Amino acid sequence: MTLQGKVHKVGDHIDTDAIIPARFLVTTDEKELGANCMEGLEAGWVERVSEGDIMVAGENFGCGSSREHAPISILGAGMKVVVAHSFARIFYRNSFNMGLLLIEVGDDVKHIEDGHEVAVDIEAGTVTNVTTGKVISFPPLPQFMRDFVDNGGLIPYVREKLKAKN
């Protein structure tokens, strides 16, 4: 699977309250949360995002409180993958549980800028900056985590497995 899109880059230590402020946690509707994605960072940020675009972040993305709404809002904004230097651990797990793909590239994130076009190839373990030609490698994701993303998260994955057994 390859995901390609325009980059929307954010900085280091972006917490879950910046991703989706508490005042918007009155719903679990993906599109409604998506309409307010990154509102705690910059009002109207999501208005620049198109379906299939890719978020790129610095260190410790998703730190702060544990809220499943944060990855849901990113998905609802139309972004299926976040590439970052690093992720907060709870956010990392919540994201895969919700079906959001996360890719850690460490210091190589400096080779991706806002507005660039990137392609994330899950099978090859590469992020290609289409704008500059730079190819960044990342460790392969375990198959079960890829399956979570392919099925839309942990619950749909488990439902599919149970259905297959019957």
Side-chain angles (χ1 to χ4, degrees):
M1 170 172 51
T2 299
L3 301 169
Q4 185 168 332
K6 178 182 171 186
V7 169
H8 298 278
K9 193 167 184 180
V10 297
D12 295 333
H13 309 291
I14 302 297
D15 65 25
T16 53
D17 200 48
I19 298 168
I20 187 72
R23 68 184 179 272
F24 299 114
L25 302 182
V26 295
T27 183
T28 57
D29 180 76
E30 187 175 286
K31 289 297 178 194
E32 197 171 326
L33 289 168
N36 297 294
C37 182
M38 304 306 285
E39 195 69 16
L41 181 67
E42 176 190 333
W45 184 93
V46 74
E47 294 169 13
R48 296 190 300 266
V49 176
S50 296
E51 185 75 28
D53 284 353
I54 295 173
M55 186 180 293
V56 173
E59 293 181 44
N60 200 29
F61 184 77
C63 57
S65 63
S66 171
R67 54 176 72 155
E68 291 83 1
H69 296 78
I72 294 170
S73 74
I74 294 168
L75 288 164
M79 295 174 283
K80 306 297 182 219
V81 60
V82 180
V83 176
H85 179 283
S86 59
F87 296 95
R89 293 296 106 196
I90 293 172
F91 178 81
Y92 188 85
R93 189 60 207 205
N94 283 342
S95 293
F96 279 94
N97 286 349
M98 296 296 122
L100 178 64
L101 177 64
L102 302 182
I103 303 296
E104 287 188 349
V105 297
D107 290 337
D108 282 332
V109 76
K110 68 185 176 202
H111 299 293
I112 306 171
E113 296 298 330
D114 194 57
H116 283 180
E117 182 88 8
V118 297
V120 179
D121 186 328
I122 309 312
E123 287 80 21
T126 60
V127 176
T128 302
N129 187 327
V130 177
T131 305
T132 67
K134 174 76 174 167
V135 178
I136 302 165
S137 296
F138 60 87
L141 293 171
Q143 186 60 51
F144 77 93
M145 292 179 82
R146 289 171 38 190
D147 292 344
F148 285 3
V149 171
D150 290 345
N151 283 283
L154 176 62
I155 300 299
Y157 170 79
V158 170
R159 284 186 181 134
E160 189 62 33
K161 288 291 185 186
L162 291 174
K163 193 165 96 176
K165 282 187 174 185
N166 293 330

